[in-house]
Amino acid sequence: MSRVEKVRQWIREERELRGWGATKLAQEACLAAQKRGEVINLKQQSISAMELGYIKSVPAWIKHVADAFGDNPVPATMQNIQNMTSFECKTSNKTSLPNEDDLKRVLLGLLAPVEESISWDAKQRIAGILAQKLPMGLEQIRLFK
């Protein structure tokens, strides 16, 4: 994977972990530059062009994007998801899931940046229900394979 491709992937992953769109990332990068005494005019179109592969080299504004990510660390629940190991596939083609509490944390982390109008308590209840039902649902899917 080329350096530009790694940067492209890094931008998208970090942006999505924070629940930001390209417009929000551009705004945050401009603020980060301003905090450091610089002025840039970064727009959503440049972020999108980078992520879509239209920009073929690492742009100068990338340092401000990195500063924006540094100024806005990933919420703790999302860091936990990042640090968890991925589901292991055993040789019997069965998927090993984390225990219910860990699965609930994973699902809660995925729900955290979704719909600000949904309360945190509601997201916790949804994650709990999904953590209980997901293993059974996966077993039922296997019946039809």
Side-chain angles (χ1 to χ4, degrees):
M1 181 182 295
S2 72
R3 180 172 180 250
V4 175
E5 186 60 35
K6 287 178 184 175
V7 170
R8 182 177 295 119
Q9 185 178 6
W10 168 75
I11 290 172
R12 175 170 281 140
E13 288 172 359
E14 290 293 319
R15 180 179 61 73
E16 289 176 351
L17 278 173
R18 289 164 178 78
W20 292 353
T23 301
K24 175 72 173 171
L25 176 53
Q27 291 169 347
E28 291 295 331
C30 290
L31 286 172
Q34 190 176 27
K35 286 179 187 177
R36 290 156 179 84
E38 297 182 45
V39 176
I40 62 168
N41 189 23
L42 183 59
K43 300 289 183 195
Q44 168 270 323
Q45 291 86 348
S46 297
I47 301 290
S48 295
M50 181 67 188
E51 287 185 5
L52 292 170
Y54 297 129
I55 296 176
K56 302 298 182 192
S57 61
V58 178
W61 49 258
I62 200 69
K63 68 179 182 176
H64 302 296
V65 168
D67 290 338
F69 291 147
D71 291 348
N72 298 279
V74 176
T77 54
M78 296 305 289
Q79 284 178 344
N80 289 340
I81 291 171
Q82 240 182 339
N83 294 335
M84 288 187 72
T85 58
S86 61
F87 300 149
E88 294 178 10
C89 291
K90 297 179 181 176
T91 55
S92 65
N93 289 334
K94 289 190 176 186
T95 304
S96 174
L97 293 174
N99 66 43
E100 189 175 315
D101 289 337
D102 288 343
L103 188 55
K104 180 179 177 181
R105 281 193 286 276
V106 168
L107 294 167
L108 187 57
L110 292 170
L111 289 170
V114 176
E115 283 298 321
E116 293 178 9
S117 62
I118 299 174
S119 73
W120 184 248
D121 288 338
K123 289 177 184 180
Q124 288 178 314
R125 284 193 304 274
I126 292 167
I129 292 167
L130 289 172
Q132 288 175 347
K133 304 292 183 183
L134 182 63
M136 184 184 349
L138 291 175
E139 284 299 320
Q140 290 176 354
I141 289 170
R142 285 190 191 118
L143 294 175
F144 295 100
K145 287 187 174 183

